[in-house]
Amino acid sequence: VYSKYIRFKYATDGIVQCVTCGVRKPVSQMQCGHFISRGKYSTRWHEDNTWPQCVICNMFKHGNYPKYSEFLIKTFGASKIEELNTLGDTILKISTADIEAMIEHYKSELSKLQKLT
Ligand SMILES: [Zn+2]
């Protein structure tokens, strides 16, 4: 649900742009790319850490990290990289109830976005 939400959030008429190479493709062909690896729970569902990426950048280029850094610096300023790195190293205690609440939240946000397209 979260991945779909991220892709729809930045889409126009069902088309979304890869933040690291600029290619534009239908939402269904794009992925939700993590700057800090998705293995880290504290940034896994952080909206500043997750952006639409194409399969080539996300999978084959392993996130296209140099371009991803450039994008984040351009969007938020240089301090964002350090902020996300620090946050990524924080241990997040998350309960099943927290996860369920998050799923409900993003389901509802996603349905609002899908009504717009
Ligand atoms: Zn790309």
Side-chain angles (χ1 to χ4, degrees):
V1 176
Y2 183 79
S3 162
K4 211 167 171 184
Y5 163 75
I6 288 299
R7 289 173 286 147
F8 271 98
K9 182 180 174 187
Y10 302 102
T12 309
D13 298 326
I15 303 292
V16 69
Q17 185 170 25
C18 173
V19 297
T20 46
C21 76
V23 73
R24 290 172 183 276
K25 286 189 174 180
V27 166
S28 61
Q29 293 174 31
M30 297 287 273
Q31 299 183 331
C32 170
H34 291 71
F35 179 69
I36 305 291
S37 148
R38 64 201 295 272
K40 300 203 172 178
Y41 272 45
S42 49
T43 43
R44 184 168 181 168
W45 301 285
H46 192 295
E47 291 189 30
D48 293 350
N49 189 50
T50 47
W51 295 84
Q53 274 194 312
C54 71
V55 176
I56 293 172
C57 288
N58 192 33
M59 308 281 283
F60 299 106
K61 294 185 177 175
H62 308 288
N64 201 350
Y65 193 81
K67 289 281 175 197
Y68 214 146
S69 304
E70 257 176 51
F71 165 76
L72 290 174
I73 290 167
K74 210 164 56 185
T75 307
F76 299 105
S79 59
K80 184 56 81 178
I81 306 288
E82 205 187 313
E83 187 196 312
L84 288 173
N85 273 313
T86 306
L87 192 61
D89 288 335
T90 318
I91 302 296
L92 179 73
K93 290 207 163 101
I94 190 162
S95 68
T96 307
D98 291 338
I99 292 178
E100 282 167 0
M102 215 156 53
I103 292 171
E104 284 315 308
H105 170 74
Y106 282 111
K107 264 187 190 165
S108 143
E109 291 300 305
L110 179 62
S111 78
K112 283 183 215 160
L113 290 174
Q114 285 176 319
K115 272 177 203 144
L116 299 174
T117 58

